[in-house]
Amino acid sequence: ADSSPSYYLFGGLGFVTLTVPRLHDRFQSSNIFGHPDQPGPPHLDGLIYRDRKADESIVVISHVKHHDVNFGYQDQPGGEIIKSANGRRVQSLSDLATIVHATPDDGFLVLHLQEGNEVTGGVVMVLDMKACREAEEEILTAHTISKPYSENVTILEELPPLIKSDEQQAASEEVDAVHVSELLGDNSG
């Protein structure tokens, strides 16, 4: 069971874990990104050489299963690192699953991606929770996927910690709120 790949699917976005010990092997074969002849996204290369804890994982988007709920994100390149979800640190698929599980139907999943490096990063993806949950069965069926996650993905008892970068985080949350209301054309009130 250890050899089967870990994955989590939500809103048609496929997430996988690149653990540091296996990162180099995965990077070389890079089948996970659908391009066996290419070395893989260059921003992942540096991760092999960073100092990381042995059990620390990197969660990336491996692919997008096209559906109305992820419209606008369908050309998202594979290999984008998930820095945070709803302002909470994501260091495993279980972290991500726990955050998604705890987010109410009338809420949104706000993913901050690390694109290239910390300086140029900052892509934000926003998914409507209710729409994603309602579309789950349809997405799984359309792509003949039996379960939205692998056996080793579990809902944790505690949410992962919030990312603490005070002013920057507060500013980014304000921006997210503006984008969400603009996206919905929400001018009720």
Side-chain angles (χ1 to χ4, degrees):
D2 272 356
S3 60
S4 46
S6 300
Y7 71 92
Y8 181 64
L9 186 75
F10 184 75
L13 303 182
F15 302 94
V16 295
T17 301
L18 296 180
T19 55
V20 175
R22 287 196 226 154
L23 185 58
H24 197 275
D25 295 338
R26 291 260 181 120
F27 194 86
Q28 294 306 320
S29 66
S30 98
N31 297 333
I32 200 166
F33 304 111
H35 304 289
D37 301 330
Q38 294 174 1
H43 67 275
L44 293 181
D45 195 19
L47 294 175
I48 298 167
Y49 307 106
R50 283 191 198 164
D51 289 333
R52 289 184 175 270
K53 296 177 194 153
D55 62 346
E56 188 177 343
S57 297
I58 299 147
V59 175
V60 297
I61 297 173
S62 62
H63 58 275
V64 179
K65 303 287 187 194
H66 291 207
H67 191 278
D68 289 347
V69 295
N70 56 45
F71 183 78
Y73 302 127
Q74 296 169 345
D75 297 325
Q76 191 66 36
E80 289 296 355
I81 300 168
I82 305 299
K83 271 174 44 174
S84 69
N86 293 353
R88 294 183 178 278
R89 198 171 304 283
V90 174
Q91 292 182 320
S92 71
L93 293 172
S94 292
D95 282 352
L96 183 58
T98 302
I99 294 165
V100 168
H101 181 76
T103 305
D105 277 354
D106 63 353
F108 296 89
L109 181 65
V110 180
L111 300 171
H112 282 261
L113 310 187
Q114 178 175 311
E115 193 183 50
N117 59 48
E118 278 88 6
V119 179
T120 61
V123 173
V124 177
M125 297 174 78
V126 180
L127 297 172
D128 180 304
M129 294 303 294
K130 187 168 193 268
C132 287
R133 286 181 173 135
E134 287 173 353
E136 182 174 73
E137 201 58 47
E138 186 184 332
I139 292 169
L140 293 174
T141 303
H143 298 280
T144 58
I145 300 166
S146 58
K147 287 174 55 178
Y149 49 85
S150 54
E151 294 294 336
N152 56 352
V153 175
T154 57
I155 304 299
L156 306 171
E157 289 184 28
E158 283 187 37
L159 281 165
L162 286 164
I163 288 183
K164 297 181 187 103
S165 63
D166 307 326
E167 281 184 348
Q168 190 179 354
Q169 187 62 30
S172 123
E173 284 170 3
E174 280 178 39
V175 170
D176 292 343
V178 170
H179 286 307
V180 167
S181 62
E182 283 175 4
L183 283 171
L184 297 176
D186 184 16
N187 39 10
S188 58

